[in-house]
Amino acid sequence: SHVMSEYVRMTDTERDQIDQDAQVFMRTCADAIHQLRTEAHKGVQSAQVKEHRTAVLDFIEDYLKRVCKLYSEQRAIRVKRVIDKKRL
């Protein structure tokens, strides 16, 4: 209970800022992956290296998609709570 008494709740403005920053960060990551994908095969002659780079980028892109999905689910919960609170 001592820890909870010192706990300061985030304001809606702080939550909105985190949401905005998270969206910018996810978009930046997606752009970086796309750029890496376009440059990954430049100057590479080995099919094995190309295949490896493609697999790594596919893995990273899939991971980002899963993170984005989790973020969207958590944000939906937050929005639902705000709506429910306004109804009361």
Side-chain angles (χ1 to χ4, degrees):
S1 65
H2 177 68
V3 172
M4 292 305 283
S5 65
E6 293 181 9
Y7 176 74
V8 178
R9 299 189 93 183
M10 290 176 55
T11 65
D12 287 337
T13 304
E14 291 171 327
R15 287 185 186 98
D16 291 340
Q17 183 63 47
I18 289 172
D19 284 343
Q20 185 179 17
D21 292 345
Q23 288 175 346
V24 168
F25 183 73
M26 289 183 287
R27 204 171 13 253
T28 301
C29 289
D31 292 344
I33 292 169
H34 178 72
Q35 184 179 6
L36 278 171
R37 195 175 290 281
T38 58
E39 295 187 20
H41 305 301
K42 289 183 180 176
V44 177
Q45 297 175 358
S46 169
Q48 185 177 12
V49 171
K50 287 181 183 180
E51 185 177 330
H52 173 74
R53 288 181 180 178
T54 299
V56 169
L57 289 168
D58 288 346
F59 174 77
I60 293 170
E61 189 173 47
D62 181 62
Y63 185 80
L64 178 61
K65 286 179 183 177
R66 288 184 280 137
V67 168
C68 291
K69 181 179 180 217
L70 179 63
Y71 164 76
S72 295
E73 291 169 355
Q74 290 178 348
R75 186 160 186 225
I77 291 169
R78 176 178 166 231
V79 169
K80 183 181 181 306
R81 285 182 183 163
V82 168
I83 291 171
D84 290 345
K85 187 187 282 186
K86 286 183 180 181
R87 286 183 187 167
L88 297 174

